[in-house]
């Protein structure tokens, strides 16, 4: 009755090629021969009677008609994923692939071990833990969960967020800075300051003092990095003072490799959120992993 229904999987393959930027990358993800994948997409074009992709030796790009078809192919992929996740969520044993993205310092320091224990406890679950230090399109790339440090509410209606834990921040420097140790946030202006950021711009730190007074410092950083572990290395090497998550510098403080700057002043903490696609049905594996993360992260990040 619906002859095209048997070829819906070709739409999914086409969607994956576009999402991954080419046949080779998509073939690796799909565990499929590149030549077979290319043939399936060509057959889809022949059935539709339109060219969907412009091909060259390095990459593919969408034709104007391909752009329109891709919107519908994405919708088919989302609904198919939702159907399978809904079925999985009705069982009592977590299973399937859980796709997670997190900043690399958090993943390396805390989440890697948490994922390992979770998978050992739930043999039917597999986890892809992506540690790219960038904001990933969870819906477009098919991720289930992102751990993000956020200071502003979500603006993407396709996503929902849940605060998991406060992340105390500690102002630190190398021991060589001991002689220049400041007493007030305004004294920091005399020191080279390092910042966690992705763009070269003025930064602001906010502190609360011993008597509850507040103070803000706006400054031009000596150096910046989007990766907290890299920023920690710069601080340790004596380049300047940095504001780091306490869980990343606690051991170095204990060993004397770093010193606390302005110990009587408390920096405004960061917050870690669990970000998920807003969808019908939540995979059981995701629910179980979130339960563990919500229970353990507050103490681990303190």
């Amino acid at each position: 009755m619906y002859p095209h229904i048997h070829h819906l999987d070709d739409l999914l393959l086409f969607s994956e090629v576009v999402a991954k930027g080419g046949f080779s990358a998509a073939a690796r993800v799909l565990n499929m021969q590149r030549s077979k994948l290319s043939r399936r997409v060509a057959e889809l074009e022949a059935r539709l009677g339109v060219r969907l992709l412009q091909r060259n030796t390095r990459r593919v790009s969408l034709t104007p008609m391909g752009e329109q078809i891709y919107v519908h192919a994405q919708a088919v992929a989302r609904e198919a994923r939702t159907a399978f996740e809904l079925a999985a969520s009705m069982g009592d044993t977590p299973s399937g692939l859980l796709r997670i993205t997190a900043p690399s310092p958090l993943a390396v320091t805390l989440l890697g071990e948490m994922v390992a224990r979770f998978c050992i406890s739930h043999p039917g679950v597999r986890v892809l833990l992506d540690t790219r230090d960038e904001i990933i399109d969870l819906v477009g790339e098919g991720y289930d969960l992102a751990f993000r440090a956020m200071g502003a509410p979500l603006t993407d209606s396709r996503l929902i967020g849940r605060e998991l834990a406060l992340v105390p921040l500690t102002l630190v420097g190398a021991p060589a800075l001991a002689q220049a140790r400041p007493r007030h946030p305004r004294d920091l202006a005399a020191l080279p300051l390092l910042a966690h950021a992705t763009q070269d711009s003025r930064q602001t730190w906010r502190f609360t003092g011993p008597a509850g007074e507040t103070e803000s410092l706006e400054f031009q950083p000596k150096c910046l990095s989007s990766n907290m572990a890299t920023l920690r290395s710069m601080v340790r090497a004596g380049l300047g003072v940095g504001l780091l998550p306490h869980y990343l510098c606690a051991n170095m403080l204990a060993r004397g490799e770093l010193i606390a700057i302005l110990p009587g002043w408390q920096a405004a903490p960061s917050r870690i959120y669990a970000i998920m696609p807003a969808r019908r049905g939540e995979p059981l594996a995701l629910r179980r992993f979130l339960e563990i993360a919500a229970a353990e992260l507050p103490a681990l990040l303190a």
Side-chain angles (χ1 to χ4, degrees):
M1 185 175 182
Y2 301 104
H4 58 279
I5 202 75
H6 303 294
H7 304 290
L8 285 178
D9 53 344
D10 287 348
L11 273 176
L12 302 180
L13 297 179
F14 161 67
S15 176
E16 195 69 19
V17 170
V18 178
K20 296 300 180 289
F23 286 95
S24 297
R28 286 193 296 270
V29 171
L30 295 167
N31 194 25
M32 187 178 186
Q33 290 184 351
R34 185 189 184 283
S35 59
K36 182 177 180 180
L37 178 59
S38 179
R39 186 178 70 252
R40 292 282 295 274
V41 174
E43 291 171 353
L44 174 65
E45 290 177 315
R47 283 193 301 274
L48 294 175
V50 296
R51 179 173 289 278
L52 302 175
L53 298 170
Q54 298 288 358
R55 300 163 172 83
N56 60 39
T57 55
R58 291 190 174 183
R59 63 187 298 273
V60 298
S61 59
L62 285 165
T63 65
M65 181 56 69
E67 292 179 357
Q68 298 182 51
I69 298 296
Y70 179 53
V71 172
H72 297 286
Q74 282 184 302
V76 171
R78 284 195 299 269
E79 291 302 321
R81 189 181 301 118
T82 298
F84 281 101
E85 289 170 350
L86 181 60
S89 70
M90 299 303 290
D92 56 3
T93 302
S95 63
L97 176 64
L98 189 58
R99 293 166 60 91
I100 303 171
T101 174
S104 58
L106 179 66
V108 171
T109 307
L110 301 178
L111 293 182
E113 182 180 339
M114 188 181 297
V115 165
R117 287 188 282 106
F118 180 75
C119 289
I120 291 171
S121 300
H122 304 286
V125 176
R126 298 182 301 123
V127 173
L128 185 157
L129 181 55
D130 191 318
T131 62
R132 285 177 285 172
D133 289 312
E134 60 186 68
I135 301 298
I136 293 175
D137 180 359
L138 301 189
V139 175
E141 297 196 38
Y143 280 78
D144 300 292
L145 172 64
F147 290 94
R148 291 180 186 169
M150 291 173 40
L154 279 171
T155 57
D156 191 336
S157 61
R158 302 176 304 164
L159 303 175
I160 56 175
R162 171 184 172 187
E163 184 177 330
L164 294 180
L166 290 176
V167 185
L169 301 177
T170 302
L171 193 65
V172 295
L177 292 173
Q179 293 181 348
R181 188 174 294 181
R183 297 183 177 181
H184 191 277
R186 60 173 168 264
D187 300 333
L188 294 172
L191 298 175
L193 305 179
L194 313 179
H196 178 246
T198 57
Q199 296 182 348
D200 183 17
S201 60
R202 296 187 67 80
Q203 303 291 311
T204 301
W205 288 342
R206 295 176 175 83
F207 301 92
T208 301
E213 68 273 34
T214 59
E215 189 77 23
S216 295
L217 175 71
E218 184 179 341
F219 63 96
Q220 185 70 44
K222 171 74 173 177
C223 282
L224 311 95
S225 177
S226 63
N227 183 285
M228 279 292 190
T230 301
L231 195 67
R232 180 183 61 184
S233 297
M234 293 178 179
V235 173
R236 185 183 181 188
L239 181 60
V241 173
L243 195 56
L244 300 177
H246 188 72
Y247 77 92
L248 274 183
C249 60
N251 289 338
M252 290 184 178
L253 286 167
R255 293 193 297 264
E257 297 173 17
L258 295 175
I259 60 171
I261 307 295
L262 292 178
W265 290 77
Q266 180 63 54
S270 180
R271 286 174 165 79
I272 288 289
Y273 287 80
I275 309 298
M276 296 157 286
R279 59 193 173 190
R280 299 181 300 276
E282 190 176 84
L284 182 60
L286 174 58
R287 291 208 306 270
R288 293 288 184 266
F289 186 77
L290 269 179
E291 289 170 1
I292 293 174
E296 297 185 8
L297 280 180
L300 294 172
L301 293 170

PDB file of all heavy atoms in Angstrom, residues 172-181 191 235-241 256-259 261:
ATOM      1  N   VAL A 172      43.998  30.693  42.668  1.00  0.00           N
ATOM      2  CA  VAL A 172      45.286  30.061  42.963  1.00  0.00           C
ATOM      3  C   VAL A 172      46.399  30.657  42.114  1.00  0.00           C
ATOM      4  O   VAL A 172      46.172  31.267  41.063  1.00  0.00           O
ATOM      5  CB  VAL A 172      45.229  28.538  42.734  1.00  0.00           C
ATOM      6  CG1 VAL A 172      44.264  27.874  43.701  1.00  0.00           C
ATOM      7  CG2 VAL A 172      44.834  28.221  41.289  1.00  0.00           C
ATOM      8  N   GLY A 173      47.630  30.448  42.584  1.00  0.00           N
ATOM      9  CA  GLY A 173      48.821  30.864  41.854  1.00  0.00           C
ATOM     10  C   GLY A 173      49.973  29.959  42.229  1.00  0.00           C
ATOM     11  O   GLY A 173      49.876  29.132  43.144  1.00  0.00           O
ATOM     12  N   ALA A 174      51.087  30.113  41.545  1.00  0.00           N
ATOM     13  CA  ALA A 174      52.290  29.351  41.861  1.00  0.00           C
ATOM     14  C   ALA A 174      52.926  29.886  43.147  1.00  0.00           C
ATOM     15  O   ALA A 174      52.727  31.054  43.507  1.00  0.00           O
ATOM     16  CB  ALA A 174      53.274  29.448  40.700  1.00  0.00           C
ATOM     17  N   PRO A 175      53.699  29.056  43.863  1.00  0.00           N
ATOM     18  CA  PRO A 175      54.329  29.522  45.119  1.00  0.00           C
ATOM     19  C   PRO A 175      55.193  30.751  44.943  1.00  0.00           C
ATOM     20  O   PRO A 175      55.369  31.525  45.895  1.00  0.00           O
ATOM     21  CB  PRO A 175      55.174  28.312  45.541  1.00  0.00           C
ATOM     22  CG  PRO A 175      54.459  27.136  44.947  1.00  0.00           C
ATOM     23  CD  PRO A 175      53.922  27.625  43.622  1.00  0.00           C
ATOM     24  N   ALA A 176      55.716  30.979  43.745  1.00  0.00           N
ATOM     25  CA  ALA A 176      56.561  32.154  43.518  1.00  0.00           C
ATOM     26  C   ALA A 176      55.800  33.451  43.726  1.00  0.00           C
ATOM     27  O   ALA A 176      56.405  34.514  43.936  1.00  0.00           O
ATOM     28  CB  ALA A 176      57.137  32.112  42.102  1.00  0.00           C
ATOM     29  N   LEU A 177      54.469  33.368  43.684  1.00  0.00           N
ATOM     30  CA  LEU A 177      53.656  34.561  43.881  1.00  0.00           C
ATOM     31  C   LEU A 177      53.404  34.866  45.361  1.00  0.00           C
ATOM     32  O   LEU A 177      52.694  35.817  45.685  1.00  0.00           O
ATOM     33  CB  LEU A 177      52.308  34.410  43.165  1.00  0.00           C
ATOM     34  CG  LEU A 177      52.355  34.381  41.633  1.00  0.00           C
ATOM     35  CD1 LEU A 177      50.977  34.051  41.070  1.00  0.00           C
ATOM     36  CD2 LEU A 177      52.842  35.719  41.105  1.00  0.00           C
ATOM     37  N   ALA A 178      53.962  34.073  46.262  1.00  0.00           N
ATOM     38  CA  ALA A 178      53.683  34.222  47.691  1.00  0.00           C
ATOM     39  C   ALA A 178      54.046  35.620  48.200  1.00  0.00           C
ATOM     40  O   ALA A 178      53.329  36.211  49.022  1.00  0.00           O
ATOM     41  CB  ALA A 178      54.438  33.160  48.483  1.00  0.00           C
ATOM     42  N   GLN A 179      55.152  36.162  47.706  1.00  0.00           N
ATOM     43  CA  GLN A 179      55.579  37.477  48.201  1.00  0.00           C
ATOM     44  C   GLN A 179      54.633  38.593  47.743  1.00  0.00           C
ATOM     45  O   GLN A 179      54.553  39.636  48.398  1.00  0.00           O
ATOM     46  CB  GLN A 179      56.999  37.770  47.717  1.00  0.00           C
ATOM     47  CG  GLN A 179      58.046  36.850  48.335  1.00  0.00           C
ATOM     48  CD  GLN A 179      59.441  37.185  47.859  1.00  0.00           C
ATOM     49  OE1 GLN A 179      59.625  37.946  46.906  1.00  0.00           O
ATOM     50  NE2 GLN A 179      60.442  36.626  48.540  1.00  0.00           N
ATOM     51  N   ALA A 180      53.938  38.369  46.620  1.00  0.00           N
ATOM     52  CA  ALA A 180      53.034  39.401  46.109  1.00  0.00           C
ATOM     53  C   ALA A 180      51.589  39.108  46.464  1.00  0.00           C
ATOM     54  O   ALA A 180      50.680  39.655  45.853  1.00  0.00           O
ATOM     55  CB  ALA A 180      53.183  39.496  44.590  1.00  0.00           C
ATOM     56  N   ARG A 181      51.362  38.244  47.460  1.00  0.00           N
ATOM     57  CA  ARG A 181      50.014  37.817  47.801  1.00  0.00           C
ATOM     58  C   ARG A 181      49.135  39.020  48.158  1.00  0.00           C
ATOM     59  O   ARG A 181      49.412  39.750  49.108  1.00  0.00           O
ATOM     60  CB  ARG A 181      50.057  36.836  48.969  1.00  0.00           C
ATOM     61  CG  ARG A 181      48.707  36.185  49.254  1.00  0.00           C
ATOM     62  CD  ARG A 181      48.840  35.119  50.318  1.00  0.00           C
ATOM     63  NE  ARG A 181      49.660  34.002  49.859  1.00  0.00           N
ATOM     64  CZ  ARG A 181      49.918  32.920  50.607  1.00  0.00           C
ATOM     65  NH1 ARG A 181      49.422  32.834  51.826  1.00  0.00           N
ATOM     66  NH2 ARG A 181      50.676  31.948  50.124  1.00  0.00           N
ATOM     67  N   LEU A 191      48.645  41.967  39.328  1.00  0.00           N
ATOM     68  CA  LEU A 191      49.160  40.643  38.985  1.00  0.00           C
ATOM     69  C   LEU A 191      48.675  40.216  37.597  1.00  0.00           C
ATOM     70  O   LEU A 191      47.612  40.658  37.144  1.00  0.00           O
ATOM     71  CB  LEU A 191      48.697  39.614  40.013  1.00  0.00           C
ATOM     72  CG  LEU A 191      49.156  39.805  41.456  1.00  0.00           C
ATOM     73  CD1 LEU A 191      48.493  38.767  42.359  1.00  0.00           C
ATOM     74  CD2 LEU A 191      50.679  39.704  41.541  1.00  0.00           C
ATOM     75  N   VAL A 235      48.810  28.220  35.267  1.00  0.00           N
ATOM     76  CA  VAL A 235      48.952  28.743  36.630  1.00  0.00           C
ATOM     77  C   VAL A 235      50.130  28.069  37.334  1.00  0.00           C
ATOM     78  O   VAL A 235      50.972  28.730  37.952  1.00  0.00           O
ATOM     79  CB  VAL A 235      47.651  28.532  37.430  1.00  0.00           C
ATOM     80  CG1 VAL A 235      47.852  28.928  38.892  1.00  0.00           C
ATOM     81  CG2 VAL A 235      46.512  29.343  36.823  1.00  0.00           C
ATOM     82  N   ARG A 236      50.207  26.771  37.223  1.00  0.00           N
ATOM     83  CA  ARG A 236      51.272  26.012  37.883  1.00  0.00           C
ATOM     84  C   ARG A 236      52.653  26.425  37.374  1.00  0.00           C
ATOM     85  O   ARG A 236      53.631  26.434  38.134  1.00  0.00           O
ATOM     86  CB  ARG A 236      51.042  24.521  37.647  1.00  0.00           C
ATOM     87  CG  ARG A 236      52.015  23.612  38.387  1.00  0.00           C
ATOM     88  CD  ARG A 236      51.749  22.169  38.030  1.00  0.00           C
ATOM     89  NE  ARG A 236      52.633  21.260  38.729  1.00  0.00           N
ATOM     90  CZ  ARG A 236      52.715  19.956  38.477  1.00  0.00           C
ATOM     91  NH1 ARG A 236      51.930  19.420  37.534  1.00  0.00           N
ATOM     92  NH2 ARG A 236      53.546  19.194  39.144  1.00  0.00           N
ATOM     93  N   ALA A 237      52.719  26.792  36.092  1.00  0.00           N
ATOM     94  CA  ALA A 237      54.000  27.195  35.511  1.00  0.00           C
ATOM     95  C   ALA A 237      54.413  28.608  35.916  1.00  0.00           C
ATOM     96  O   ALA A 237      55.523  29.049  35.577  1.00  0.00           O
ATOM     97  CB  ALA A 237      53.922  27.104  33.985  1.00  0.00           C
ATOM     98  N   GLY A 238      53.532  29.324  36.647  1.00  0.00           N
ATOM     99  CA  GLY A 238      53.875  30.643  37.137  1.00  0.00           C
ATOM    100  C   GLY A 238      53.505  31.785  36.221  1.00  0.00           C
ATOM    101  O   GLY A 238      53.946  32.918  36.420  1.00  0.00           O
ATOM    102  N   LEU A 239      52.657  31.506  35.210  1.00  0.00           N
ATOM    103  CA  LEU A 239      52.269  32.560  34.270  1.00  0.00           C
ATOM    104  C   LEU A 239      51.389  33.617  34.925  1.00  0.00           C
ATOM    105  O   LEU A 239      51.442  34.789  34.562  1.00  0.00           O
ATOM    106  CB  LEU A 239      51.544  31.944  33.064  1.00  0.00           C
ATOM    107  CG  LEU A 239      51.091  32.900  31.966  1.00  0.00           C
ATOM    108  CD1 LEU A 239      52.293  33.642  31.366  1.00  0.00           C
ATOM    109  CD2 LEU A 239      50.325  32.154  30.885  1.00  0.00           C
ATOM    110  N   GLY A 240      50.577  33.203  35.894  1.00  0.00           N
ATOM    111  CA  GLY A 240      49.692  34.160  36.546  1.00  0.00           C
ATOM    112  C   GLY A 240      48.730  33.488  37.503  1.00  0.00           C
ATOM    113  O   GLY A 240      48.868  32.307  37.824  1.00  0.00           O
ATOM    114  N   VAL A 241      47.735  34.264  37.935  1.00  0.00           N
ATOM    115  CA  VAL A 241      46.719  33.796  38.886  1.00  0.00           C
ATOM    116  C   VAL A 241      45.485  33.358  38.108  1.00  0.00           C
ATOM    117  O   VAL A 241      45.070  34.013  37.146  1.00  0.00           O
ATOM    118  CB  VAL A 241      46.359  34.932  39.869  1.00  0.00           C
ATOM    119  CG1 VAL A 241      45.184  34.531  40.755  1.00  0.00           C
ATOM    120  CG2 VAL A 241      47.572  35.278  40.722  1.00  0.00           C
ATOM    121  N   GLY A 256      51.441  21.743  47.952  1.00  0.00           N
ATOM    122  CA  GLY A 256      52.204  22.973  47.900  1.00  0.00           C
ATOM    123  C   GLY A 256      52.623  23.395  46.506  1.00  0.00           C
ATOM    124  O   GLY A 256      53.420  24.329  46.352  1.00  0.00           O
ATOM    125  N   GLU A 257      52.105  22.724  45.488  1.00  0.00           N
ATOM    126  CA  GLU A 257      52.440  23.095  44.111  1.00  0.00           C
ATOM    127  C   GLU A 257      51.709  24.368  43.694  1.00  0.00           C
ATOM    128  O   GLU A 257      52.157  25.074  42.779  1.00  0.00           O
ATOM    129  CB  GLU A 257      52.085  21.947  43.166  1.00  0.00           C
ATOM    130  CG  GLU A 257      52.871  20.680  43.440  1.00  0.00           C
ATOM    131  CD  GLU A 257      52.376  19.511  42.594  1.00  0.00           C
ATOM    132  OE1 GLU A 257      51.677  19.764  41.594  1.00  0.00           O
ATOM    133  OE2 GLU A 257      52.689  18.361  42.931  1.00  0.00           O
ATOM    134  N   LEU A 258      50.588  24.640  44.339  1.00  0.00           N
ATOM    135  CA  LEU A 258      49.852  25.880  44.149  1.00  0.00           C
ATOM    136  C   LEU A 258      49.559  26.470  45.517  1.00  0.00           C
ATOM    137  O   LEU A 258      49.541  25.749  46.526  1.00  0.00           O
ATOM    138  CB  LEU A 258      48.536  25.633  43.403  1.00  0.00           C
ATOM    139  CG  LEU A 258      48.612  25.125  41.959  1.00  0.00           C
ATOM    140  CD1 LEU A 258      47.200  24.818  41.438  1.00  0.00           C
ATOM    141  CD2 LEU A 258      49.308  26.132  41.057  1.00  0.00           C
ATOM    142  N   ILE A 259      49.311  27.783  45.562  1.00  0.00           N
ATOM    143  CA  ILE A 259      48.912  28.420  46.809  1.00  0.00           C
ATOM    144  C   ILE A 259      47.582  29.128  46.582  1.00  0.00           C
ATOM    145  O   ILE A 259      47.268  29.557  45.466  1.00  0.00           O
ATOM    146  CB  ILE A 259      49.971  29.434  47.302  1.00  0.00           C
ATOM    147  CG1 ILE A 259      50.182  30.544  46.255  1.00  0.00           C
ATOM    148  CG2 ILE A 259      51.272  28.729  47.636  1.00  0.00           C
ATOM    149  CD1 ILE A 259      51.042  31.688  46.749  1.00  0.00           C
ATOM    150  N   ILE A 261      45.140  32.178  46.734  1.00  0.00           N
ATOM    151  CA  ILE A 261      45.229  33.632  46.691  1.00  0.00           C
ATOM    152  C   ILE A 261      43.934  34.195  47.281  1.00  0.00           C
ATOM    153  O   ILE A 261      42.843  33.714  46.988  1.00  0.00           O
ATOM    154  CB  ILE A 261      45.402  34.132  45.244  1.00  0.00           C
ATOM    155  CG1 ILE A 261      46.575  33.441  44.568  1.00  0.00           C
ATOM    156  CG2 ILE A 261      45.560  35.640  45.207  1.00  0.00           C
ATOM    157  CD1 ILE A 261      47.925  33.752  45.158  1.00  0.00           C
TER     158      ILE A 261
END
